[in-house]
Amino acid sequence: MIERIAQRDPAPPEGTGHVSFWLAGAVSEWGLPVPEADLPALVVPDLAADERAHLPGAFLALHPGSGSTRKNWPAERFAGLADTLAPGTAYALVEGPADA
């Protein structure tokens, strides 16, 4: 079996656009199409004043779910990632509608 590896530097060059398009470009070497459409806007709901009061000034937000438990990364890996990215900083776990 012949395997082909596609890779890209995770930091796109200046002016490349959204990082997802830069990373997806690695598979274009295999002849696969890379979407060029605009990404949908990220919508962050307004939080009530009492919900905002519990958030520190700076924190890391993680979305560990995928809507399917068999696709989820293990919880201890997310905990390790949070400790690596923001040691000693508060973090919030973001949950989507299918993650409960």
Side-chain angles (χ1 to χ4, degrees):
M1 172 173 41
I2 298 174
E3 293 185 28
R4 294 187 293 174
I5 298 174
Q7 64 182 23
R8 281 264 166 117
D9 184 326
E14 279 297 317
T16 303
H18 195 275
V19 69
S20 63
F21 295 119
W22 166 250
L23 296 173
V27 299
S28 67
E29 298 168 14
W30 300 341
L32 298 174
V34 177
E36 296 181 14
D38 290 333
L39 296 174
L42 176 63
V43 177
V44 179
D46 289 334
L47 296 175
D50 61 328
E51 292 173 313
R52 284 193 309 269
H54 297 290
L55 295 174
F59 62 94
L60 172 68
L62 296 170
H63 185 287
S66 66
S68 170
T69 54
R70 66 180 183 63
K71 296 189 300 184
N72 289 351
W73 209 31
E76 61 274 5
R77 297 236 179 130
F78 275 103
L81 177 64
D83 289 339
T84 299
L85 292 176
T89 301
Y91 59 90
L93 295 177
V94 179
E95 184 177 87
D99 296 329

